[in-house]
Amino acid sequence: MAFGVPHGADEDTPVFVISVAAQLSGLHAQTLRSYDRLGLVSPGRTAGGGRRYSMRDIALLREVQRLSQEDGVNLAGIKRIIELENQVEALRSRLAELTEELAAAYAAAEQAAAAVHASYRKDLVPVREQTALVVWRPGKR
């Protein structure tokens, strides 16, 4: 990443102090504190309690600003949007997990069915192919 993120860090690694996060997001540090208090953007914390923002947090701060400035959404609405987006992401993740489990279950069922069919073939006896028609008429008593 271009902002001096330490080697091995990803977009979720909390590395930026509040002043750097404010500069990167284009917001005032006090605004970031307010967003944290409101639960809009919750940065990581150091052992001493200092805020550390990740690149994902910076992107979320920019999105909060965009929704507020460009779309006119109030902070309560923005919080609800963020909650719903997080819920959708969690559901997508769960759907992917269940899809993988279902595919594995289908594969296991197909293997089990193939094993059963293979075992039947050992017990089968070849029969000559003939066609015959048998008509049964019940006799009189």
Side-chain angles (χ1 to χ4, degrees):
M1 295 183 188
F3 300 111
V5 177
H7 179 69
D10 63 12
E11 66 181 9
D12 293 318
T13 305
V15 292
F16 301 110
V17 294
I18 194 167
S19 59
V20 174
Q23 186 177 20
L24 291 173
S25 65
L27 299 169
H28 193 276
Q30 193 59 37
T31 304
L32 273 61
R33 289 183 188 94
S34 296
Y35 288 174
D36 187 10
R37 279 192 297 277
L38 293 170
L40 292 173
V41 179
S42 300
R45 297 286 182 158
T46 64
R51 293 173 175 87
R52 292 294 183 271
Y53 292 84
S54 67
M55 282 307 299
R56 187 180 303 274
D57 294 331
I58 303 297
L60 185 54
L61 287 167
R62 289 176 180 161
E63 180 64 8
V64 168
Q65 182 182 29
R66 187 193 68 73
L67 286 168
S68 175
Q69 303 278 322
E70 295 176 17
D71 295 339
V73 181
N74 66 22
L75 294 179
I78 292 171
K79 184 173 182 176
R80 184 67 178 140
I81 289 169
I82 291 169
E83 289 169 353
L84 290 172
E85 286 178 347
N86 290 339
Q87 186 178 16
V88 166
E89 185 56 36
L91 290 170
R92 281 186 180 138
S93 177
R94 183 65 179 139
L95 177 62
E97 290 172 11
L98 291 173
T99 301
E100 288 178 20
E101 287 179 30
L102 184 59
Y106 275 131
E110 286 178 8
Q111 284 181 338
V116 167
H117 290 299
S119 71
Y120 289 159
R121 290 196 170 83
K122 294 175 186 171
D123 297 337
L124 294 180
V125 177
V127 177
R128 289 186 317 200
E129 287 189 36
Q130 293 179 349
T131 53
L133 177 63
V134 177
V135 178
W136 179 71
R137 292 189 181 135
K140 295 181 184 179
R141 291 187 188 201

